[in-house]
Amino acid sequence: MSLKTAFKHLLVLNLFFFSSPLLAQSPNQSSLTIDQIMQGEDFVGYLPSRVEWSADSRHIFFSWNPDNDTIRSTYRADISDGEISKLSFDEQRQLPDDGVYSHDKKWKAYDKSGDLFLQDMSDYSVRQITSTNSWERSPEFSGDGKYIIYQSDNNLFSWEIATGSVKQLTDFRSGQENNEKMSEQDQWLENDQLSNFDILKKRQMESETREYRGEQASPERPETIYMGRKRLAGLSISPDMNYVVYRLMTPADDKNTMVPDFVTQSGYTNELNARAKVGGEQNTFESHILNLQTDSTYEIATETLEGIYNKPEYLRDYASEDSTYSETYDKPKDVVAGMPVFSQDGKAVLNITSEDSKDRWIARLDLETGSLIQLDHQHDEAWIGGPQVGWFANGTLEWIDDDHIWFKSEQTGYAHIYRTNVESGKTDALTSGNFEVLEATLSDDKKKFYMTTNEVSPHEHHFYHMPAKGGKRTRITTRKGGHEVTVSPDEKMLAVRYSYSNQPWELYVMPNKEGGEMTRLTNSTTDEFNAYDWRDPEIIRFTARDGAEVPASLYEPATGKKNGAAVIFVHGAGYLQNVHSWWPSYYREYMFHNFLADNGYTVLAIDFRASAGYGRDWRTAIYRHMGGKDLDDQVDGAAYLVNEHGIDAGRIGIYGGSYGGFITLMAMFNAPETFASGAALRSVTDWAHYNHGYTSRILNTPAQDSIAYARSSPIYFAEGLEGQLLILHGMVDTNVHFQDVVRLSQRLIELKKENWEFAVFPVEGHGFVESSSWSDEYRRIYKLFRETLLE
């Protein structure tokens, strides 16, 4: 390759990258333009979001921008008449935030802008508790309801409701206590001085006496706990205010990647301190209990947990043949203990996860000793995950009554609700079946669950009631699509964000009972958006090579307009759902697919192996091999298009961003016979350069599982490139770093590949913000498919 060609690929200084004109439409000519649909909310409309109820359950507050103002504002809907009004600055300032309620529901405490507030639920009046330059946060009520305990400057304080008096409960400090001992020589000199001079001895006794008397006369203060270089990473107190549970983090001494930001207001390049790479040294955690009655501290002991010494199975692949392999470690695995969840009578349970993400324990905590009684152990040789179980969500844990807790587990392969008696340890499944309980919480009286599931179909979300002891579920929502439900404080009404495949999210209100009707409150879409007849893509399933039925959304051209070419879209994140009957988070891509179909292309968007919504086995099918079954699903999807829809096998393209960009690269490198061209957006090119939290769960770490990284990273397969590849990436990406695609570019140059182009976006991060960048990006993608897929 000539120096001129290499310069073109890397620096991207030609007109293709910075000034490509709007492309001419195909003969089919969509009424849409790329510039239109890439305006995002300015074209679609600003949909209602961040839905909350007023304390009196009479109003719904939400974020909205129907007038296309500079930014969104907070609006209020009166559910009695549906009237919507924009809140003034004063009204926003006075608007209570979410908070916690006293056990008798008489009071609500919350923090806002670093201050504390108390709301009287009898008349909804609000009393401001603090007004300081410090940051007070996380209020909670004591078990007897007489105090509000809150955090400030990494310590706990109590505020007595009746008197307004404040008491500091803990005194955590960084650094070490200043109690340096004298050297042997200095101690000898001091003792010699005191023995020779009576006046020095007299002064010493006076000083010690003053100090002692001052200590005796001073108010009671909490015992100081010095943390050294450790940091406080969790703080909680028992309802009786006798025990404090705290978690300390020892920060990792690891190296972060620096991301340069070139286009800045100052004119100087900013260095953004991004993140470390997978496999580096990690933060470690330890949890302790402080007994406020005795000022004693002791560590929570986790070494008795089941399986805490067990090695993961993948390490067998690296065991030496001439040595005896041990299935256990010499010391327990590192774990992270969550903050305890307390029952009304003071019992404590907590969620514990292993640092290798393969174990989750739920245990009862003895506050007097720090010992644990295990109630449940979840183990997964891949990684613990699932809605309200782990990974992309915290493990939910809640008391039903003073003897029972509920939690979720993927024990059966799907996320379901379980109930455990903390005295006997007996556990019962409250839900079961080949569906997922996506979200669940208890009603205020703890007599029933409110839950959202996908039991009707993996492609629909509906809201249900279920008795707290299990039993028949009562379906509340009925329309086909997606429902995001917020229950009113009095639990009589529901605020519902509802959408369908081709109908964006709008706000509705309905009674919280079976047979209730949804009443629409908002109309958010623009006239320009409404003028187009948006497709309701068909949800189909095709059979993969291993027999799995793979779901996908199919966009087809109108009769007589099919051009014989097809495009496959690969969604991002891996663990995300894109085949469904509600308005997509990938709404720009959805509109682009309508545009492609208008211009004769058939589009297939696949929920490949790794996607969310289909249970544990679908999620973990990529364990130790990303670009395995997830790539096979794209190739098998292409075969489905050829066999069932008459697509020309030589005219199929593929594109996607983030994880979708990664799969696009793997497709172009490992399945060149299937894909004529591909556009890889913000792509991971080498998993050894991505973050630890995501990557180590799926591929372990590079040093311990090099096999997994070698077969999962596109950079190792770049030699297989045959079709036309377009790489697009934001230079200020602090998630998938720009370095990723620069390294791949160098690899392609060294391999003397010439059928690729590289477009950079100087002001964009991982998720593009500017409509000009979106438009430029998708004009290039469409140009790629026009030039490579049309005869």
Side-chain angles (χ1 to χ4, degrees):
M1 179 183 290
S2 69
L3 179 61
K4 180 179 179 181
T5 303
F7 192 75
K8 169 190 170 185
H9 283 157
L10 273 181
L11 298 184
V12 207
L13 294 178
N14 53 49
L15 290 177
F16 172 81
F17 293 98
F18 292 115
S19 58
S20 56
L22 235 162
L23 297 165
Q25 304 296 337
S26 74
N28 292 324
Q29 283 201 325
S30 171
S31 61
L32 298 170
T33 69
I34 289 176
D35 280 352
Q36 264 185 319
I37 61 183
M38 292 303 150
Q39 291 176 45
E41 290 182 314
D42 285 339
F43 173 66
V44 176
Y46 288 80
L47 311 181
S49 62
R50 296 173 57 189
V51 176
E52 298 178 9
W53 280 92
S54 63
D56 61 8
S57 300
R58 295 170 55 189
H59 299 93
I60 301 171
F61 300 103
F62 57 100
S63 172
W64 205 31
N65 186 12
D67 301 324
N68 201 17
D69 199 354
T70 307
I71 60 174
R72 287 173 169 265
S73 298
T74 301
Y75 284 75
R76 173 179 53 215
D78 187 325
I79 67 169
S80 64
D81 58 14
E83 182 179 347
I84 295 178
S85 57
K86 183 178 179 179
L87 265 61
S88 67
F89 292 134
D90 283 342
E91 288 173 321
Q92 290 185 55
R93 191 162 40 247
Q94 296 170 17
L95 185 66
D97 277 3
D98 285 338
V100 294
Y101 291 87
S102 59
H103 183 63
D104 58 12
K105 305 298 180 184
K106 291 182 178 180
W107 303 97
K108 173 186 172 183
Y110 62 93
D111 61 76
K112 185 173 183 177
S113 302
D115 289 318
L116 300 178
F117 297 82
L118 181 65
Q119 186 169 31
D120 186 333
M121 300 309 294
S122 64
D123 59 8
Y124 307 109
S125 60
V126 174
R127 175 183 177 185
Q128 184 163 354
I129 298 174
T130 65
S131 179
T132 71
N133 287 331
S134 297
W135 197 270
E136 292 88 28
R137 62 184 180 87
S138 305
E140 55 184 307
F141 288 91
S142 60
D144 59 13
K146 295 180 180 179
Y147 299 88
I148 292 176
I149 300 110
Y150 63 92
Q151 298 182 33
S152 181
D153 295 328
N154 281 335
N155 279 294
L156 288 174
F157 295 79
S158 68
W159 180 80
E160 190 172 13
I161 296 175
T163 66
S165 65
V166 174
K167 180 181 180 181
Q168 185 170 345
L169 303 177
T170 64
D171 186 22
F172 291 99
R173 301 186 187 185
S174 300
Q176 304 290 342
E177 185 176 4
N178 186 16
N179 57 356
E180 294 183 6
K181 292 184 179 181
M182 292 188 201
S183 67
E184 184 178 1
Q185 171 66 15
D186 288 346
Q187 187 67 62
W188 183 91
L189 285 173
E190 182 177 301
N191 292 341
D192 186 61
Q193 290 290 95
L194 292 172
S195 65
N196 284 319
F197 301 102
D198 291 341
I199 189 64
L200 293 180
K201 185 180 294 186
K202 175 177 177 292
R203 289 176 179 176
Q204 181 196 38
M205 293 180 62
E206 290 172 347
S207 175
E208 291 175 349
T209 301
R210 278 193 297 270
E211 182 178 355
Y212 172 77
R213 290 181 180 179
E215 289 176 354
Q216 298 305 307
S218 64
E220 182 182 350
R221 302 295 188 201
E223 186 77 11
T224 300
I225 297 176
Y226 290 94
M227 299 182 291
R229 65 180 294 265
K230 299 174 183 177
R231 301 173 187 170
L232 198 65
L235 193 56
S236 184
I237 192 168
S238 60
D240 60 11
M241 299 171 63
N242 288 332
Y243 299 94
V244 172
V245 180
Y246 62 97
R247 184 172 61 218
L248 297 178
M249 177 190 73
T250 302
D253 185 16
D254 204 3
K255 185 177 182 180
N256 282 4
T257 299
M258 305 303 292
V259 174
D261 182 4
F262 292 100
V263 184
T264 64
Q265 184 172 332
S266 68
Y268 292 91
T269 299
N270 289 337
E271 291 283 344
L272 305 179
N273 190 358
R275 57 162 174 78
K277 300 180 188 292
V278 60
E281 181 182 339
Q282 299 300 303
N283 301 331
T284 57
F285 298 86
E286 60 197 71
S287 294
H288 300 260
I289 297 174
L290 166 62
N291 186 324
L292 292 177
Q293 297 173 303
T294 64
D295 287 334
S296 59
T297 61
Y298 35 95
E299 190 168 358
I300 295 176
T302 60
E303 64 271 8
T304 60
L305 294 171
E306 177 187 2
I308 200 166
Y309 289 88
N310 293 350
K311 291 180 179 178
E313 289 182 3
Y314 77 87
L315 291 178
R316 287 181 174 275
D317 291 353
Y318 301 94
S320 174
E321 294 182 1
D322 56 0
S323 64
T324 302
Y325 176 74
S326 173
E327 295 184 349
T328 58
Y329 294 111
D330 293 332
K331 61 180 184 178
K333 293 192 283 191
D334 288 337
V335 299
V336 181
M339 287 295 98
V341 181
F342 294 101
S343 64
Q344 187 62 28
D345 64 357
K347 298 186 187 77
V349 293
L350 44 75
N351 186 79
I352 304 167
T353 53
S354 61
E355 281 285 10
D356 66 5
S357 305
K358 301 183 188 300
D359 293 274
R360 177 195 182 198
W361 299 270
I362 296 170
R364 182 172 171 182
L365 173 63
D366 186 334
L367 294 167
E368 292 186 359
T369 65
S371 60
L372 296 172
I373 301 171
Q374 182 176 302
L375 299 173
D376 184 72
H377 177 211
Q378 301 169 31
H379 175 77
D380 196 316
E381 277 299 325
W383 71 95
I384 295 290
Q388 291 187 301
V389 179
W391 198 28
F392 276 76
N394 294 321
T396 299
L397 193 57
E398 190 177 5
W399 287 91
I400 299 174
D401 53 44
D402 286 340
D403 294 321
H404 296 88
I405 59 170
W406 75 269
F407 59 91
K408 287 170 67 177
S409 169
E410 287 187 315
Q411 177 182 327
T412 64
Y414 294 87
H416 282 293
I417 299 175
Y418 294 82
R419 178 176 181 262
T420 292
N421 185 307
V422 298
E423 299 294 345
S424 68
K426 183 176 183 296
T427 298
D428 299 304
L430 301 186
T431 61
S432 62
N434 294 342
F435 66 91
E436 292 197 309
V437 177
L438 302 163
E439 187 175 4
T441 189
L442 285 169
S443 60
D444 277 348
D445 62 12
K446 297 184 181 295
K447 292 183 179 179
K448 60 177 171 282
F449 282 99
Y450 297 133
M451 62 175 68
T452 300
T453 82
N454 63 1
E455 58 193 275
V456 169
S457 160
H459 315 297
E460 294 185 47
H461 288 175
H462 287 283
F463 184 73
Y464 294 80
H465 294 177
M466 184 184 77
K469 293 183 179 180
K472 180 183 176 182
R473 291 181 295 280
T474 302
R475 180 173 161 185
I476 307 301
T477 57
T478 58
R479 292 191 189 181
K480 185 177 181 179
H483 301 79
E484 296 179 358
V485 174
T486 305
V487 182
S488 64
D490 64 8
E491 301 187 356
K492 295 179 181 179
M493 301 297 291
L494 304 176
V496 183
R497 255 189 22 126
Y498 167 78
S499 71
Y500 185 63
S501 304
N502 58 357
Q503 300 168 19
W505 296 101
E506 296 289 0
L507 182 61
Y508 294 74
V509 65
M510 68 175 291
N512 186 16
K513 62 181 181 180
E514 186 179 15
E517 290 292 325
M518 291 201 313
T519 300
R520 184 167 172 170
L521 297 174
T522 61
N523 290 283
S524 308
T525 51
T526 67
D527 292 341
E528 193 177 15
F529 175 86
N530 295 334
Y532 180 82
D533 186 15
W534 299 99
R535 286 171 175 78
D536 178 6
E538 180 186 0
I539 295 178
I540 60 92
R541 287 181 180 260
F542 61 85
T543 303
R545 65 192 66 186
D546 62 357
E549 294 296 310
V550 182
S553 295
L554 180 68
Y555 300 74
E556 292 192 276
T559 303
K561 290 191 174 183
K562 181 182 289 188
N563 62 19
V567 172
I568 289 179
F569 171 67
V570 191
H571 68 69
Y575 189 61
L576 181 147
Q577 187 175 3
N578 190 48
V579 178
H580 47 64
S581 296
W582 59 87
W583 183 247
S585 57
Y586 285 100
Y587 70 94
R588 286 184 178 88
E589 289 79 355
Y590 163 81
M591 294 188 292
F592 182 59
H593 298 159
N594 277 264
F595 171 84
L596 287 174
D598 284 349
N599 286 284
Y601 298 84
T602 301
V603 181
L604 193 68
I606 302 171
D607 268 353
F608 49 89
R609 250 68 71 91
S611 299
Y614 307 96
R616 180 266 173 196
D617 291 348
W618 203 264
R619 170 175 63 82
T620 61
I622 59 170
Y623 178 58
R624 299 190 69 203
H625 192 183
M626 299 158 91
K629 289 184 178 180
D630 45 356
L631 175 58
D632 289 345
D633 289 345
Q634 317 302 323
V635 176
D636 295 342
Y640 160 80
L641 291 173
V642 172
N643 297 330
E644 301 296 330
H645 292 275
I647 296 301
D648 185 335
R651 295 196 288 134
I652 300 176
I654 186 169
Y655 89 102
S658 195
Y659 196 98
F662 149 71
I663 286 292
T664 297
L665 293 175
M666 292 294 268
M668 296 301 294
F669 297 162
N670 289 336
E673 71 287 350
T674 300
F675 299 104
S677 59
L681 295 65
R682 50 194 176 276
S683 316
V684 175
T685 69
D686 186 343
W687 287 108
H689 290 257
Y690 196 50
N691 70 40
H692 186 86
Y694 180 94
T695 319
S696 65
R697 285 170 165 81
I698 305 173
L699 300 180
N700 305 305
T701 64
Q704 289 191 311
D705 200 357
S706 57
I707 295 171
Y709 283 80
R711 64 188 176 197
S712 300
S713 296
I715 199 167
Y716 296 113
F717 303 99
E719 192 167 355
L721 177 63
E722 294 179 11
Q724 189 68 35
L725 173 63
L726 172 61
I727 301 171
L728 311 103
H729 211 103
M731 296 181 74
V732 203
D733 193 334
T734 55
N735 181 13
V736 180
H737 298 157
F738 187 64
Q739 180 192 28
D740 259 43
V741 287
V742 172
R743 293 177 69 248
L744 177 62
S745 299
Q746 180 60 30
R747 178 67 179 146
L748 292 170
I749 290 169
E750 293 181 8
L751 289 169
K752 298 181 173 59
K753 299 291 184 179
E754 297 189 2
N755 49 331
W756 61 282
E757 300 287 356
F758 183 10
V760 301
F761 297 86
V763 300
E764 298 292 356
H766 194 63
F768 280 20
V769 174
E770 304 301 332
S771 60
S772 57
S773 300
W774 279 103
S775 294
D776 187 88
E777 183 177 47
Y778 275 79
R779 286 200 302 268
R780 300 184 192 288
I781 295 170
Y782 183 51
K783 181 174 186 289
L784 172 75
F785 292 146
R786 277 179 55 86
E787 292 180 348
T788 59
L789 303 183
L790 297 186
E791 293 179 331

